[in-house]
Amino acid sequence: MAGGPIVNPTGTKVYNGKMTLHVFITCIVAATGGLIFGYDIGISGGVTSMDSFLKKFFHKVYIQEKADQSVNQYCKFDSPLLQTFTSSLYLAALVSSLFASTVTRKFGRKVSMLGGGTTFLLGAIVNGFARDIAMLIIGRILLGVGVGFANQSVPLYLSEMAPAHLRGMLNVGFQLMITIGILAANAINYGTSQIKAGWGWRISLGLAAVPAIIISLGSLLLPDTPSSLIERGHPAKARSMLKKVRGTDDIEDEYNDIVAASEESKLVEHPWANIFKRKYRPQLTMAFAIPFFQQFSGINIIMFYAPVLFKTMGLGDDASLMSSLITGFVNAVSTLVSTFTVDRVGRRALFLEGGIQMFVCQVLIGGLIYKEFGVTGTGTFSKSYATVVLILVCTYVAGFAWSWGPLGWLVPSEIFSLEIRSAGQSITVAVNMFFTFVIGQAFLTMLCKLKFGLFFFFAGWVSIMTLFIYFFLPETKNVPIEEMILVWKKHWFWGKYISDEDIHIGKNVEMGRP
């Protein structure tokens, strides 16, 4: 389907273009950057539940784990050092994402992807051959640098390359690859845990090299996005690329909007300072709030520590790893729901439905854990209770997987103007990684202190973030990213921050009024 722009109900243009084979393949390849993030999320939780890994690196935790059932089950895995192993990656990702902004803007999105892949590869090698905790932490830091660069550049690349009316579906590919990485990691953990010699964890950690090689080689084959080419002074290549990815020669309106955005971008010498201007207040708020809420949804209770959590509930080693494999499968399948609905029902509907679903599940899980373990933490789950909890966990994961999981990356990547896009995405990644680090570092201690109340704690945050979306996030489906400022201008709250003089793009379309 080709042709010129049409006007959608928001008063902005929607450029029709074919789902060309070229854009489909490039977005699939770029989305594989999510594999490294997902693989690490799944693999770190699995190896920390393996006895052989704990005996070698965290012997105190191993001793606590083997204590009898009369001990407090909430606190048996509480170890600052174990939490540091998991969370150090995200602190490194936070710092590296800020540097990635400059690389992405000056050298292009694909260079950042290549840097992320190769650094992650080094981290996988170090971790696979780790002899002590120091090597483990160094490896985790290298992995974190890779994640920071990939998470900063991949969502931007996907949002810029995709046609507006297909941007949601193609961008969700990043989250889909994250879930596939998690599922693969869970399956590998289950298999390597069966190795009696006790070195299966080395395979689990070392195989992180596979997704690293995939994105590294893939980035070498990817073309630059039209926006990046124009931004870096290659207008002829940008025009040619835009025709190629849209499948039509009728690209003048979209091309002119990108050029206009680039010209405005060149006037900005310091995007990090510019992003704090009043007219960018809506986007800056979302760049902070969405990743903050995404992490305080409680998803990392499940994805980081699922095997540990299920072992805390009294399941055995194999049962806990199998349970996390099941949740990983649900996560991947449910993300497909978002892939096929995000451009139809919109971002807001998925955000709101997912929030309600997660809230209900968190409350029920907390209630069941209270009934069995109380405040003392002594006891064990029966098989039937464990099954009910697993079903609730899977329902919770499904709600996250078709809402806050993919949309937490999609929406921030599509709302920024070109002149602040790299800086804005870096803020999104940095906030995401910081609070991932906070949750990763604090979860086991919080479980020990708050006990079953931890699930009610996160349920409270889920209710707050759902209300935030209802009142403050406008619908962004089908809106070209160069026209996004018009959406903010029409919003009941954010419109007051944007003056008519701030709008330099889309003048040929009459803008609706609040």
Side-chain angles (χ1 to χ4, degrees):
M1 181 172 61
I6 62 176
V7 179
N8 71 11
T10 66
T12 59
K13 300 192 297 291
V14 177
Y15 297 99
N16 286 322
K18 298 176 182 177
M19 168 62 87
T20 63
L21 182 63
H22 182 79
V23 75
F24 180 74
I25 291 176
T26 55
C27 285
I28 290 283
V29 172
T32 59
L35 287 175
I36 62 176
F37 190 29
Y39 187 86
D40 180 79
I41 290 174
I43 218 69
S44 58
V47 297
T48 54
S49 73
M50 295 182 187
D51 287 345
S52 56
F53 180 80
L54 293 176
K55 282 179 70 174
K56 182 172 181 61
F57 297 106
F58 304 97
H59 194 72
K60 181 180 178 182
V61 176
Y62 174 75
I63 297 300
Q64 291 175 193
E65 180 203 352
K66 295 305 177 184
D68 62 56
Q69 294 297 316
S70 64
V71 302
N72 188 334
Q73 296 297 300
Y74 294 125
C75 300
K76 66 191 300 182
F77 284 92
D78 185 20
S79 167
L81 193 58
L82 180 61
Q83 292 172 145
T84 299
F85 163 73
T86 300
S87 60
S88 57
L89 178 149
Y90 303 98
L91 190 60
L94 185 163
V95 175
S96 66
S97 68
L98 301 178
F99 290 99
S101 170
T102 301
V103 174
T104 300
R105 189 181 190 195
K106 291 188 175 181
F107 301 102
R109 285 62 169 144
K110 56 182 289 183
V111 172
S112 283
M113 295 183 210
L114 177 61
T118 53
T119 309
F120 195 90
L121 176 60
L122 291 175
I125 294 171
V126 172
N127 269 355
F129 289 98
R131 300 176 62 87
D132 51 37
I133 292 177
M135 282 190 71
L136 277 180
I137 300 301
I138 290 172
R140 294 288 291 173
I141 290 173
L142 289 171
L143 293 174
V145 173
V147 167
F149 270 80
N151 286 15
Q152 198 278 341
S153 54
V154 172
L156 281 187
Y157 185 94
L158 294 172
S159 286
E160 291 180 348
M161 189 63 79
H165 66 293
L166 298 173
R167 186 175 62 242
M169 181 183 73
L170 293 174
N171 193 289
V172 168
F174 177 67
Q175 178 68 17
L176 181 61
M177 290 296 178
I178 291 176
T179 63
I180 291 173
I182 293 172
L183 178 60
N186 289 337
I188 289 168
N189 278 335
Y190 183 75
T192 57
S193 69
Q194 310 301 314
I195 299 176
K196 302 301 181 182
W199 44 265
W201 60 268
R202 290 194 183 276
I203 296 178
S204 292
L205 295 178
L207 282 179
V210 175
I213 291 172
I214 291 174
I215 184 57
S216 296
L217 294 179
S219 65
L220 295 175
L221 303 175
L222 290 173
D224 279 308
T225 68
S227 293
S228 179
L229 288 168
I230 290 176
E231 189 176 31
R232 289 156 45 221
H234 305 289
K237 290 182 179 179
R239 186 187 294 273
S240 175
M241 181 56 61
L242 193 58
K243 290 180 180 179
K244 193 172 185 179
V245 298
R246 297 294 179 258
T248 176
D249 290 335
D250 187 10
I251 49 86
E252 290 306 311
D253 286 297
E254 184 174 6
Y255 178 80
N256 290 336
D257 272 355
I258 296 175
V259 170
S262 178
E263 291 300 318
E264 187 171 355
S265 174
K266 291 176 182 177
L267 301 177
V268 179
E269 296 183 10
H270 306 289
W272 281 102
N274 203 63
I275 199 172
F276 291 97
K277 289 184 176 180
R278 178 181 174 87
K279 63 179 179 178
Y280 298 122
R281 195 71 49 80
Q283 298 97 317
L284 182 62
T285 300
M286 294 300 163
F288 180 89
I290 289 178
F292 169 83
F293 285 135
Q294 186 190 57
Q295 296 311 308
F296 273 80
S297 68
I299 187 62
N300 288 330
I301 292 179
I302 309 302
M303 307 321 296
F304 282 175
Y305 298 109
V308 171
L309 183 64
F310 287 124
K311 286 181 78 171
T312 296
M313 294 176 185
L315 302 180
D317 292 354
D318 289 350
S320 66
L321 287 171
M322 178 56 73
S323 298
S324 64
L325 180 59
I326 293 172
T327 59
F329 177 77
V330 171
N331 191 23
V333 172
S334 299
T335 303
L336 290 173
V337 174
S338 182
T339 301
F340 295 109
T341 59
V342 67
D343 289 318
R344 292 184 173 90
V345 305
R347 283 62 159 155
R348 281 173 52 86
L350 289 177
F351 265 133
L352 296 174
E353 190 284 330
I356 294 171
Q357 184 170 323
M358 289 189 291
F359 174 81
V360 172
C361 291
Q362 290 275 30
V363 171
L364 292 177
I365 292 170
L368 287 173
I369 293 178
Y370 168 71
K371 188 176 185 302
E372 289 300 299
F373 292 98
V375 296
T376 63
T378 57
T380 184
F381 265 157
S382 65
K383 185 176 180 180
S384 59
Y385 254 76
T387 301
V388 172
V389 171
L390 178 60
I391 292 173
L392 286 172
V393 166
C394 288
T395 305
Y396 165 84
V397 169
F400 179 86
W402 60 54
S403 63
W404 280 87
L407 299 182
W409 294 107
L410 166 61
V411 173
S413 73
E414 66 183 0
I415 61 176
F416 283 100
S417 303
L418 181 60
E419 65 270 17
I420 56 168
R421 193 169 296 156
S422 293
Q425 182 66 13
S426 287
I427 291 174
T428 298
V429 175
V431 171
N432 187 295
M433 293 299 108
F434 176 75
F435 286 105
T436 303
F437 167 78
V438 169
I439 297 297
Q441 187 66 24
F443 166 65
L444 293 177
T445 300
M446 291 173 70
L447 179 61
C448 181
K449 302 296 183 183
L450 296 179
K451 304 175 175 60
F452 64 89
L454 181 61
F455 292 90
F456 298 139
F457 171 80
F458 285 116
W461 280 110
V462 170
S463 64
I464 293 172
M465 69 196 209
T466 303
L467 290 172
F468 175 85
I469 292 297
Y470 180 80
F471 287 108
F472 296 109
L473 181 69
E475 183 55 65
T476 57
K477 71 170 183 177
N478 294 337
V479 181
I481 53 179
E482 279 73 31
E483 299 282 344
M484 201 65 69
I485 190 172
L486 304 181
V487 176
W488 299 109
K489 179 61 178 175
K490 292 176 62 177
H491 189 266
W492 71 272
F493 180 80
W494 299 119
K496 64 186 178 183
Y497 291 97
I498 302 168
S499 67
D500 291 343
E501 290 72 26
D502 292 327
I503 301 174
H504 306 292
I505 297 174
K507 294 292 189 180
N508 57 325
V509 177
E510 183 179 357
M511 184 180 68
R513 294 298 176 186

